[in-house]
Amino acid sequence: MLQIAANAADSKGGEDLVALNVSGPLPLVDAFLLVTGNSERNVAAIADEVEDRLYEAGHRRIRREGRAEARWVLLDFGDLIVHVFHAEERVYYGLERLWKDCPVIPIEITERVSGE
């Protein structure tokens, strides 16, 4: 699920992808995926692509918040929560700092847009 979401975010220009294993402090969630978009439109496109690809793979979204403003979109898929931030919100809320004790999960982007 994490790989699908990461590839989807990358395909829409998502930057600074970081995955955190939050299963210790949050027993109902395995991982957070943090992604930065460079505009509200980009944040919305990234969130929509992540949601579409995970749906195609058989994963259902439980909850979505922030889509209308597209400054911080939260997509809850149960075991995975995807946070798509506008750059300013990512710095302001600093989730990496808040969850700094959680291990980072390596992400390998397996799909690249041609020409990269």
Side-chain angles (χ1 to χ4, degrees), residues 1-64:
M1 212 162 52
L2 176 60
Q3 272 309 136
I4 293 167
N7 282 319
D10 181 72
S11 76
K12 291 298 180 181
E15 300 174 351
D16 301 323
L17 279 70
V18 174
L20 300 173
N21 180 340
V22 295
S23 61
L26 293 176
L28 299 176
V29 178
D30 289 337
F32 282 175
L33 176 61
L34 311 178
V35 183
T36 300
N38 56 33
S39 68
E40 287 87 352
R41 187 173 179 172
N42 187 223
V43 167
I46 293 165
D48 290 348
E49 186 70 9
V50 168
E51 191 169 352
D52 290 348
R53 294 253 198 114
L54 285 173
Y55 181 81
E56 289 169 6
H59 304 287
R60 302 294 179 259
R61 174 182 45 86
I62 296 168
R63 183 177 59 161
R64 175 179 59 195

Side-chain angles (χ1 to χ4, degrees), residues 79-91:
D79 291 337
L80 173 67
I81 297 180
V82 181
H83 300 270
V84 185
F85 292 98
H86 190 283
E88 294 166 2
E89 271 66 15
R90 184 156 179 183
V91 171

